Amino acid sequence: MALRVQDKWPGQKGNIFCLREDNRKMDPPIEEIERVPVISLKRIGKRLVVVLDRPINKRCDFLFLKKKYKTKDGEYEQIFWRTQQALKERKPRVKLITYHSENLNILIDTNEKYPWKFSNSNTEKTRLPVGDYALLKDNEILAVVERKTFDNLISEFRKMSVFHQQLAELSAYKYSALVIEANYSDFLKADKLKFYTPSFAVKAIAELFAFHPNLPIVFAGNRKLANEWTYRFFEAVDSHENDTPHEKISEIIQEYGTTPVIKGGIYYEIKKKIMDDLPEEFTFEMISELFPDIPIDFIKKVIDDLKKEKLITKKNRRKNVWKKM
């Protein structure tokens, strides 16, 4: 994406009006000012949310709007570049993106003997491939929720390998969740557990989180709150899917591809490179060659922190040579 803007970062202005540049190669006399790795690129409503891999000035979004002409037919485009700080200072009127007003179509698995109730919804009992409740949209399952009572989850501990298989299938859906009709604290009460110790129970729950990081696990507290959470979850999903994104946002995200796995950002990447890949004695220039797009001051900070942690020491001040300890 190429945009014409007034500044390289929205400072005091907070909001910068942008014009989309069709010439993406940006012919001279345009010069590159800065190159920064991208941590995350995500659509939230009409916004393209961008997170950059640097310590400051890293979070911003681009708001894509379409407005109708007042004096003629057709639409024109408006793009605004906004930073995290600007959004904090503006304090805009609170408005949720996923406002919902339509009836939902919800499927309930036939194994549910006493199913939850869903107001303003069309419900149907059927055999679901996985989960207990599903949101149906255009004859496709859009979201799935697996419901567990306290006793249900305890019984799953006896066959964890099978349960992991089930949750793996559940998390394969774009939107899914495991909703538990209990509080986390209930699994720390020995008198309620009977067959297991609290220590085992919380370790088993931790394993569920670790093995299925993309699956939300919700301790709703009781049946009524679990029912309410699931209904609001389905509402938000349906609203989000109905909100057609600006075609440019979809194009950018598709071209960018899968978001890389983040392990702490460029700061930790530089530290790891120094400690694992560089020789016992190394120079500042060696690091700069490995990270040509990273500012010198940033690399110096990483080196200073490694020195404070007593992982490296200065060997030759004149030649700027460092040695691992």
Side-chain angles (χ1 to χ4, degrees):
M1 178 176 65
L3 299 175
R4 290 187 177 271
V5 298
Q6 293 174 314
D7 201 348
K8 69 175 186 178
W9 189 260
Q12 296 299 321
K13 299 183 181 68
N15 256 342
I16 289 184
F17 179 73
C18 309
L19 292 174
R20 185 135 57 91
E21 174 60 59
D22 292 329
N23 174 20
R24 294 187 56 183
K25 294 182 180 179
M26 304 298 282
D27 296 332
I30 302 297
E31 294 180 2
E32 183 176 304
I33 298 173
E34 190 175 6
R35 183 181 292 259
V36 185
V38 175
I39 285 181
S40 175
L41 203 62
K42 189 172 185 178
R43 176 181 81 87
I44 299 180
K46 298 288 190 298
R47 297 179 292 141
L48 177 66
V49 179
V50 183
V51 182
L52 304 177
D53 193 353
R54 61 185 181 190
I56 60 173
N57 294 342
K58 66 177 185 178
R59 297 192 187 110
C60 66
D61 68 45
F62 293 90
L63 177 63
F64 287 78
L65 300 174
K66 282 188 175 180
K67 299 283 186 178
K68 291 185 177 180
Y69 288 108
K70 293 182 179 179
T71 57
K72 60 179 180 179
D73 294 335
E75 295 178 324
Y76 63 96
E77 180 181 72
Q78 285 187 337
I79 305 174
F80 296 94
W81 185 16
R82 314 180 302 175
T83 65
Q84 175 186 357
Q85 188 60 32
L87 292 172
K88 281 183 179 179
E89 292 175 355
R90 278 189 64 211
K91 295 180 181 178
R93 181 170 60 90
V94 177
K95 182 181 179 182
L96 295 177
I97 297 171
T98 54
Y99 178 77
H100 190 273
S101 59
E102 298 179 358
N103 287 353
L104 299 177
N105 295 314
I106 298 176
L107 303 179
I108 303 173
D109 190 72
T110 50
N111 290 324
E112 285 286 277
K113 293 182 179 179
Y114 305 101
W116 291 334
K117 306 293 184 182
F118 296 94
S119 58
N120 301 323
S121 302
N122 306 312
T123 59
E124 177 188 346
K125 274 211 165 189
T126 187
R127 183 66 182 267
L128 294 175
V130 67
D132 299 307
Y133 300 88
L135 175 64
L136 189 67
K137 187 79 172 177
D138 298 328
N139 293 317
E140 292 183 356
I141 291 179
L142 187 59
V144 185
V145 165
E146 173 74 22
R147 167 202 176 199
K148 291 293 178 190
T149 64
F150 177 85
D151 292 333
N152 288 156
L153 190 57
I154 292 297
S155 66
E156 295 292 356
F157 292 165
R158 302 172 193 167
K159 48 184 188 300
M160 282 292 279
S161 296
V162 175
F163 192 38
H164 280 310
Q165 291 177 349
Q166 182 184 356
L167 295 185
E169 183 181 358
L170 190 70
S171 60
Y173 285 82
K174 185 178 180 181
Y175 304 102
S176 58
L178 170 63
V179 182
I180 303 163
E181 296 179 356
N183 292 311
Y184 179 75
S185 58
D186 294 339
F187 296 89
L188 291 167
K189 299 173 182 176
D191 58 326
K192 294 192 70 172
L193 291 169
K194 297 179 183 178
F195 301 110
Y196 301 103
T197 64
S199 175
F200 174 84
V202 293
K203 284 180 180 178
I205 291 170
E207 184 174 296
L208 298 180
F209 278 90
F211 285 9
H212 309 280
N214 297 322
L215 177 68
I217 301 177
V218 181
F219 291 91
N222 56 48
R223 174 187 170 91
K224 183 177 179 180
L225 293 178
N227 190 165
E228 178 69 14
W229 187 94
T230 301
Y231 176 63
R232 298 304 175 187
F233 172 57
F234 284 164
E235 264 194 335
V237 169
D238 189 67
S239 176
H240 178 61
E241 288 294 320
N242 283 338
D243 184 16
T244 305
H246 190 286
E247 67 274 4
K248 192 61 187 174
I249 297 180
S250 301
E251 179 186 321
I252 293 165
I253 292 176
Q254 184 176 3
E255 187 172 331
Y256 181 71
T258 306
T259 300
V261 176
I262 303 303
K263 298 181 179 179
I266 195 66
Y267 174 85
Y268 289 95
E269 187 179 339
I270 295 173
K271 287 182 74 173
K272 182 174 175 59
K273 203 75 174 176
I274 291 172
M275 300 309 299
D276 294 352
D277 297 345
L278 290 183
E280 289 300 309
E281 295 182 6
F282 60 92
T283 64
F284 184 88
E285 288 71 23
M286 289 181 182
I287 308 171
S288 295
E289 288 176 6
L290 292 172
F291 299 94
D293 298 324
I294 304 303
I296 292 174
D297 290 341
F298 189 81
I299 297 176
K300 285 181 178 179
K301 173 170 175 31
V302 177
I303 291 176
D304 288 342
D305 288 348
L306 286 172
K307 182 182 175 183
K308 290 175 184 177
E309 295 171 22
K310 297 182 179 180
L311 294 173
I312 63 173
T313 184
K314 197 76 171 282
K315 183 182 180 184
N316 189 316
R317 290 185 178 275
R318 284 187 177 181
K319 295 183 178 181
N320 204 8
V321 177
W322 296 84
K323 182 179 180 181
K324 297 179 189 178
M325 297 177 66

